[in-house]
Amino acid sequence: MRTNKDKLVMISVQGTIAKPEHTGRHSVAHDGTPFMLPGTGGITYNVRVGDPVFGWAADHVEPGVSTILDQEKRESPTNRGYNFYACIGNEAKVVTGDAKGAKGVVIGHHGGAEHVLIDFPEEVLEKLTLDDKILIKAFGQGLKLLDYPDVHVYNIDPNLLEKFGIIEKNGELHIPVVAVVPAFLMGSGIGSTSMGTGDYDIMTADEVTLRDYGLDKLRFGDIVYIQDHDNSFGRCYRKGAATIGVVIHSDCKYAGHGPGVTTFMTCAKPILKPIICPDANIGKILKIGRFEEK
C-alpha cells in the first residue's frame, strides 16, 4: 500500500505509570450481582499481550504497564495529547530508575481511564516502579492510504501496519483478523468522537452469542473486524461500513461493557474485508507479550 509515511512527524511524549484506583465499594454487574475486584492501572505482572481477555478475577484489567501523563487531570489537553500522539507499535523507553534504558512497545490506549498501555519484557517489569517515567517516540497520527481516500487510519505506527499482511484486491483491502464482531455487540463508547484517544467495548453479557461468533477465545492484542461500524468522524452504526482494531483490555462486568478495542482503520464504504487468521495478533507480529522471544 502507498502511504504518506514519509510525511509523518515523530514527536516525543512522556508519561508515568498510572496508580491503580478503587472506591473500595461494591459495583453492580450486568446480571445484578455485586462485585469488588481489581481494575485499571499499575504494572500488571501476570497479564500480557497474548493472554485470554476472559476469566480473570478483575474488571477492565489492562495488560502490561498502564501509563498516563497526569492522573489528577485526565481531561486536560496535555493528557489528551499524550493519549493521542502515542500509537500502537510505537517504541517506548524507560528514562528513570533501575529499568532506565529498557524499551517496550505501545499496545493501545484505554478511554475513560485515559491510559496508554505498554508492553515490556518480564525482566523490565520486575525493575519498574510506579514513579518511573516513560518516553514514547510518537509516530503515526496523520497516516493516510494514498490510493484509498475513503479509508481513515488512526492510532497505528505505519511500520507495524506494513507487517499486517494486508492484501489489495479489486479496490478492496483484505485484512487478517482473528474474528468478526457483529455491529449489535458494540457497546460502551458508541457515539464518542474520541477515536484518536480511546477505545470502545464489545458487550459480553450474552455468553451464547459470544461463542456463536467465536469471540469467547479473544486474547489481548488480537486484531478484530467490527462489522457495519464507521469510526471516521465518530463511532456509529452504518450498514456496509467496517472498522478494524486491537483488543486492549479485559472483559468487564458492567452492563454495556466488555473487552476494549482501540481502532486503527475504518471506512464508511464496503472497502475493508476480513480474512480470518488465528495468528492476527500484534504480539505475534512484534514478538512481544506471551510471544516474546526468550
Side-chain angles (χ1 to χ4, degrees):
M1 293 182 299
R2 295 192 315 122
T3 72
N4 66 336
K5 172 183 172 180
D6 62 328
K7 302 299 182 183
L8 302 184
V9 295
M10 183 179 290
I11 299 177
S12 63
V13 291
Q14 182 172 292
T16 189
I17 298 175
K19 280 69 173 175
E21 298 179 8
H22 204 282
T23 64
R25 304 184 187 90
H26 284 89
S27 299
V28 180
H30 55 73
D31 61 359
T33 59
F35 68 94
M36 188 163 53
L37 293 168
T40 61
I43 303 163
T44 308
Y45 298 99
N46 62 333
V47 182
R48 301 188 65 196
V49 169
D51 282 333
V53 299
F54 294 101
W56 301 99
D59 187 89
H60 285 85
V61 72
E62 299 165 336
V65 178
S66 306
T67 69
I68 197 166
L69 178 67
D70 188 338
Q71 197 150 358
E72 302 304 317
K73 298 178 181 178
R74 294 182 195 274
E75 305 299 325
S76 69
T78 50
N79 201 62
R80 289 288 192 185
Y82 179 67
N83 278 260
F84 172 73
Y85 283 102
C87 291
I88 301 168
N90 286 169
E91 177 186 286
K93 184 169 70 173
V94 184
V95 294
T96 59
D98 292 344
K100 183 176 181 179
K103 293 181 179 179
V105 178
V106 174
I107 56 177
H109 42 220
H110 182 188
E114 309 310 333
H115 292 167
V116 173
L117 311 184
I118 303 173
D119 181 87
F120 285 102
E122 288 184 3
E123 63 270 18
V124 177
L125 297 178
E126 294 297 330
K127 294 178 181 179
L128 288 170
T129 74
L130 296 182
D131 295 320
D132 282 326
K133 295 180 180 180
I134 298 169
L135 183 78
I136 297 171
K137 288 185 175 179
F139 185 60
Q141 299 293 24
L143 183 64
K144 294 183 181 296
L145 308 185
L146 299 180
D147 297 319
Y148 303 90
D150 295 311
V151 176
H152 297 265
V153 183
Y154 305 106
N155 313 320
I156 192 81
D157 190 308
N159 297 304
L160 173 57
L161 185 67
E162 290 170 359
K163 297 177 181 179
F164 281 171
I166 297 173
I167 298 171
E168 298 179 78
K169 184 178 179 181
N170 299 326
E172 299 173 340
L173 296 176
H174 296 253
I175 304 163
V177 298
V178 168
V180 173
V181 183
F184 63 82
L185 280 183
M186 296 311 296
S188 178
I190 289 178
S192 171
T193 57
S194 63
M195 301 83 63
T197 60
D199 68 310
Y200 70 140
D201 290 7
I202 302 169
M203 295 188 289
T204 54
D206 189 332
E207 296 181 5
V208 174
T209 300
L210 288 182
R211 290 195 296 271
D212 287 346
Y213 284 89
L215 301 174
D216 57 322
K217 305 298 183 185
L218 286 177
R219 302 166 296 172
F220 299 104
D222 276 352
I223 301 168
V224 294
Y225 179 99
I226 303 172
Q227 199 170 35
D228 296 326
H229 265 239
D230 179 16
N231 277 228
S232 299
F233 307 105
R235 307 188 195 280
C236 62
Y237 175 87
R238 195 184 303 277
K239 187 69 174 177
T243 294
I244 316 294
V246 176
V247 178
I248 54 95
H249 70 63
S250 78
D251 187 25
C252 320
K253 296 183 178 297
Y254 291 108
H257 288 255
V261 181
T262 296
T263 58
F264 66 82
M265 186 179 291
T266 190
C267 188
K269 297 180 179 180
I271 291 174
L272 307 180
K273 304 296 180 181
I275 303 171
I276 300 301
C277 174
D279 292 333
N281 183 290
I282 63 168
K284 194 144 195 174
I285 295 167
L286 295 172
K287 296 181 172 55
I288 59 174
R290 295 305 179 195
F291 305 100
E292 181 184 316
E293 292 183 336
K294 304 297 182 181

